[in-house]
Amino acid sequence: MTNIAILVGAGEGKRIGNKDKAFFLLHNKPLLAYTLVPFEKSNLINEIILVVRKNKINLAKDIVNKYQFKKVKKIIHGGKRRQDSVYQGLCEIKSADVVLIHDVVRPLITENMIKDCIKNAKKFGAAIPVIPIRDTVKEGKKFVKKTVDKENLKLAQTPQAFKYEILKKAYESAKKSKFYGTDDSSLLERLGHKIKIIPGSPKN
């Protein structure tokens, strides 16, 4: 099998003052480097495509070289929105069995989670990690309309893993229709694909 990971870190960081979170330093090491480690170490990942802001490509190359991430084969610039960035990463892939899409700003990914995502994507076509909602959920604007049953509500995380052909079809359909989803799996849901959910991690 050929499994390729697209790591997306091209966001503008608007919620934290337009700062590039992917390159924040933690103990003098950029966040990007922490996130790359489990993908580099996983024997199931064959290649990594890194998507960053255009003005950060050289910095990303320096980090990849400094920490010797051998599986990073391509570093490209992202698009206007996250979905555009992922699509540009997909366009760099000619063939693959499973593609994982992960946000660089979630550094606490584990090799086991990568393994579970790939295994379930191979079996079901698509798999995403989720965590349960622990707080009470209310629906309403100015006043509470009702309390929502949270039993079947989940918070989606990354990495999200998909069979390549299914993911490519979903992204091309979304692009043609100018549809933007809130995450990658929502593009497949739109076409009627079932998404297998697996346990995520609150740490991530």
Side-chain angles (χ1 to χ4, degrees), residues 60-124:
K61 288 179 179 177
D62 290 341
I63 292 169
V64 167
N65 291 332
K66 179 179 179 179
Y67 295 97
Q68 299 183 332
F69 293 116
K70 305 296 185 184
K71 291 183 181 179
V72 178
K73 304 301 183 183
K74 297 176 183 178
I75 302 176
I76 64 173
H77 67 83
K80 186 175 181 180
R81 298 168 69 169
R82 180 187 181 278
Q83 188 169 311
D84 300 317
S85 296
V86 174
Y87 182 75
Q88 289 182 199
L90 270 176
C91 289
E92 296 292 324
I93 301 174
K94 293 183 179 180
S95 66
D97 292 295
V98 172
V99 175
L100 291 89
I101 302 169
H102 185 62
D103 297 322
V104 166
V105 295
R106 295 181 187 269
L108 299 181
I109 177 71
T110 66
E111 289 180 66
N112 278 337
M113 192 178 293
I114 292 171
K115 180 180 178 180
D116 286 346
C117 284
I118 292 173
K119 180 181 71 174
N120 283 281
K122 183 181 177 182
K123 183 176 181 180
F124 299 102

Side-chain angles (χ1 to χ4, degrees), residues 24-44:
F24 274 4
L25 294 179
L26 299 175
H27 301 291
N28 294 316
K29 184 176 178 180
L31 186 66
L32 171 61
Y34 288 100
T35 308
L36 280 167
V37 168
F39 289 93
E40 179 75 22
K41 291 173 66 177
S42 172
N43 60 8
L44 297 176

Side-chain angles (χ1 to χ4, degrees), residues 101 113 116-118 120-121 124-131 154-162 183-186 188-189 194-200:
I101 302 169
M113 192 178 293
D116 286 346
C117 284
I118 292 173
N120 283 281
F124 299 102
I128 66 170
V130 303
I131 57 174
K154 310 293 181 185
L155 297 176
Q157 297 184 319
T158 63
Q160 299 190 355
F162 312 91
D183 71 345
D184 305 293
S185 65
S186 64
L188 278 78
E189 291 174 50
K194 291 184 177 180
I195 314 294
K196 176 65 175 176
I197 58 175
I198 63 175

Side-chain angles (χ1 to χ4, degrees), residues 168-179:
K168 184 180 179 183
K169 181 180 178 181
Y171 259 86
E172 289 178 344
S173 173
K175 185 174 179 63
K176 184 177 180 180
S177 303
K178 297 181 180 180
F179 171 82

